[in-house]
Amino acid sequence: MTTTETRTYAPEHTPRLPLAQLAPEFYRAMVRLEAAAAKGLDPVVYELVKIRASQINHCAFCLDMHTKDALASGESVERIVQLSAWEESEHFYTEKELAALALTEAITVLTDGFVPDEVYERAAAHFDEAELAQLIAVITTINAWNRIGVSTRMVPGHYTPGMYKN
Amino acid sequence: MPARTDRLSADVYHALAAASAAAKEGLGDPVLVELVMLRASQINRCAFCVDMHLTLARKNGVSERSLDLLQVWEETDGVFTAPERAALALTEAVTVLTDGFVPDEVYERAAAHFDAPALAHLLALITVINSWNRIMVSRRTPPGELVWQ
């Protein structure tokens, strides 16, 4: 008797539109934006922000990419898993990371009303002005990638770390 | 109300400005561009962006009636064209991702009015204005401040 069960997964969807090919100039500017935004931001914070915004915006492709990138750069499974409930698992993160996560949520969900002073001030207490500007830029940029990924329905599951690096 | 910070890396600014220019040029219709820019800025409550795009909309010949009724476009008749309405529906879906994805009917409706390159640039434009909204709201850039041009 075998205990092996054959699992049948749902079929993979196809992307809606090859945006990078159809809007190459826009896409090149986005790649430049990404590089410019990432400059000077703590790389650990960078990946946490990327993952958290992608969770909020439900970007499957982005989650595939950024969880793999985080793991590849040495991030722990526990910290990645706890990210969607980080307010209840604060002891997994540093105060600086928590401030960045709070700012990520505020800037990602603008429809609930602006970016509260206390959230901004908390971030400003942990990041100097230059790094804070980069943090805001990274949050903005992942929100842009999330919009591209979700609207064109990019397919998760095929990313390998480093595949977009030159 | 002063801005929270004047810091914005020149590289970030120029890259986003280039993305903006490419999206606008690819779409080609300045009235549609401003309607999309303004609607996203309303949803994201970006005071600076609403102010700027109201000015640009008027400059590009968007009617006062369209501007007055943009916020309630779904309930209007004879104010916005069918492609504009499809683009506005797409703008709302792509701007508010927290409610869940971009529905097929919204996407298909836009695809029925815009060919693939135009649709790609429309999505690019919605992405770009969402980026400006986030930068200006986080920095709390006051309306009217000239950080552009």
Side-chain angles (χ1 to χ4, degrees):
Chain A
M1 199 177 95
T2 174
T3 53
T4 312
E5 195 185 330
T6 310
R7 283 162 173 256
T8 310
Y9 291 103
E12 189 173 298
H13 68 259
T14 47
R16 280 172 172 153
L17 181 99
L19 191 130
Q21 287 161 40
L22 290 166
E25 210 176 315
F26 163 77
Y27 200 83
R28 274 194 295 275
M30 280 300 305
V31 172
R32 266 173 57 205
L33 176 64
E34 172 61 40
K39 224 177 287 169
L41 181 64
D42 179 332
V44 174
V45 169
Y46 170 89
E47 286 301 343
L48 294 178
V49 164
K50 291 277 188 181
I51 295 169
R52 185 65 194 122
S54 302
Q55 288 173 337
I56 296 171
N57 287 324
H58 306 120
C59 181
F61 175 87
C62 314
L63 283 169
D64 184 43
M65 173 173 173
H66 290 293
T67 52
K68 284 173 179 170
D69 276 349
L71 287 168
S73 61
E75 185 52 89
S76 78
V77 172
E78 288 78 9
R79 276 163 44 98
I80 293 174
V81 170
Q82 287 299 321
L83 254 187
S84 65
W86 64 271
E87 281 172 290
E88 295 297 322
S89 52
E90 292 198 334
H91 59 291
F92 283 66
Y93 307 99
T94 67
E95 291 296 338
K96 184 178 178 178
E97 289 165 351
L98 292 169
L101 290 171
L103 190 65
T104 300
E105 305 214 343
I107 295 178
T108 299
V109 189
L110 291 183
T111 46
D112 281 356
F114 314 107
V115 173
D117 280 338
E118 60 269 28
V119 172
Y120 187 87
E121 294 309 331
R122 184 178 172 188
H126 291 282
F127 293 84
D128 67 25
E129 250 204 301
E131 196 179 13
L132 183 57
Q134 295 305 100
L135 175 61
I136 292 170
V138 164
I139 298 169
T140 297
T141 305
I142 185 58
N143 264 276
W145 291 121
N146 289 166
R147 281 177 172 74
I148 291 169
V150 172
S151 64
T152 66
R153 212 193 252 157
M154 287 172 72
V155 183
H158 303 289
Y159 180 78
T160 51
M163 69 186 275
Y164 294 132
K165 300 247 157 70
N166 312 323
Chain B
M1 188 181 71
R4 277 175 175 148
T5 173
D6 291 327
R7 285 278 193 149
L8 176 64
S9 122
D11 289 348
V12 167
Y13 177 84
H14 289 306
L16 194 49
S20 259
K24 280 188 205 173
E25 204 185 310
L27 201 52
D29 173 352
V31 169
L32 182 66
V33 164
E34 292 310 324
L35 291 177
V36 167
M37 297 292 227
L38 195 50
R39 185 66 194 118
S41 302
Q42 288 173 339
I43 295 171
N44 286 326
R45 306 166 189 226
C46 179
F48 171 86
C49 315
V50 166
D51 183 49
M52 170 174 165
H53 290 290
L54 275 171
T55 305
L56 289 176
R58 291 191 170 104
K59 221 165 117 183
N60 282 286
V62 180
S63 75
E64 289 301 315
R65 182 135 182 88
S66 298
L67 296 180
D68 289 343
L69 292 175
L70 183 60
Q71 207 164 1
V72 291
W73 66 270
E74 277 180 284
E75 297 294 319
T76 64
D77 210 2
V79 180
F80 302 99
T81 66
E84 285 168 355
R85 295 174 67 88
L88 289 171
L90 189 66
T91 302
E92 302 200 346
V94 177
T95 298
V96 188
L97 292 183
T98 45
D99 282 355
F101 314 106
V102 174
D104 281 337
E105 59 268 29
V106 172
Y107 184 84
E108 294 307 332
R109 185 177 166 190
H113 289 285
F114 298 91
D115 64 16
L119 184 55
H121 286 94
L122 176 58
L123 290 171
L125 187 76
I126 299 169
T127 298
V128 159
I129 186 57
N130 263 277
S131 302
W132 288 122
N133 289 166
R134 283 184 168 74
I135 285 179
M136 298 308 171
V137 170
S138 344
R139 300 169 79 238
R140 208 196 251 155
T141 312
E145 187 188 291
L146 285 176
V147 299
W148 54 291
Q149 284 187 341

